[in-house]
Amino acid sequence: DAKTTQPNSMESNEEEPVHLPCNHSTISGTDYIHWYRQLPSQGPEYVIHGLTSNVNNRMASLAIAEDRKSSTLILHRATLRDAAVYYCILRPTGNQFYFGTGTSLTVIP
Amino acid sequence: GAGVSQSPSNKVTEKGKDVELRCDPISGHTALYWYRQSLGQGLEFLIYFQGNSAPDKSGLPSDRFSAERTGGSVSTLTIQRTQQEDSAVYLCASRSPGLGSNEQFFGPGTRLTVL
């Protein structure tokens, strides 16, 4: 199983950018990189995904290293509503999404 | 439209009893996943259904766990002879068909407590 490694927790000040790192050194060429987040007492929600190129959407940006062994989720301006656990997940071309323990993001007002 | 719904939202049972957890996916979503999340942990994959194909049961932790999906829609996860270590939040997710579909939509989960 392709695994990911993330810091257990991070803090950010409100209105500032946040860079959430993820290492996935055993990634294979066909694994997509997904990010989900889980707000307190809720199910996870999709944030963004990519394969090789950097990606942007209304929620965040995803920067993927050239060797694909790491990626960074970028929240451009953190708000209190962004406080959540962020999961970096590898999805092989198959069924399973491998969730790790994620990074718990605290946003400081 | 409606999202993924799960019932019950909370279930308290005694050790040794059987429980059934229900998931109603988003209409038209052919892929359905079950996950388990123990307190303070990440999500653990349990089982995956895709259309009429045989389900991927590789994540089920023991033969006490089973799941079915009737008519390609509603799914039921059954845990027989529950144990205290089965206590967790059980999450269901569905995904629309198509190779380009990557987003899973999660339900609110069922919190199972085994006394």
Side-chain angles (χ1 to χ4, degrees), chain B residues 23-103:
Chain B
C23 172
D24 284 84
I26 293 172
S27 177
H29 281 195
T30 56
L32 187 148
Y33 300 77
W34 282 98
Y35 295 89
R36 175 170 72 173
Q37 187 171 31
S38 301
L39 187 63
Q41 301 297 311
L43 276 70
E44 175 189 4
F45 167 82
L46 296 178
I47 190 169
Y48 165 77
F49 295 90
Q50 173 59 64
N52 295 320
S53 302
D56 177 353
K57 304 179 182 180
S58 59
L60 294 179
S62 77
D63 59 8
R64 296 187 295 105
F65 288 73
S66 63
E68 62 178 23
R69 189 178 185 192
T70 54
S73 180
V74 172
S75 178
T76 303
L77 177 69
T78 302
I79 308 174
Q80 296 177 311
R81 306 180 302 281
T82 52
Q83 304 294 312
Q84 289 182 333
E85 60 263 29
D86 299 334
S87 296
V89 175
Y90 289 81
L91 290 156
C92 173
S94 70
R95 179 169 59 86
S96 65
L99 291 176
S101 170
N102 284 280
E103 182 177 356

Side-chain angles (χ1 to χ4, degrees), chain A residues 27-44:
Chain A
I27 192 171
S28 73
T30 54
D31 288 346
Y32 281 80
I33 302 160
H34 288 246
W35 284 81
Y36 280 72
R37 72 179 185 181
Q38 188 172 22
L39 279 64
S41 301
Q42 295 187 26

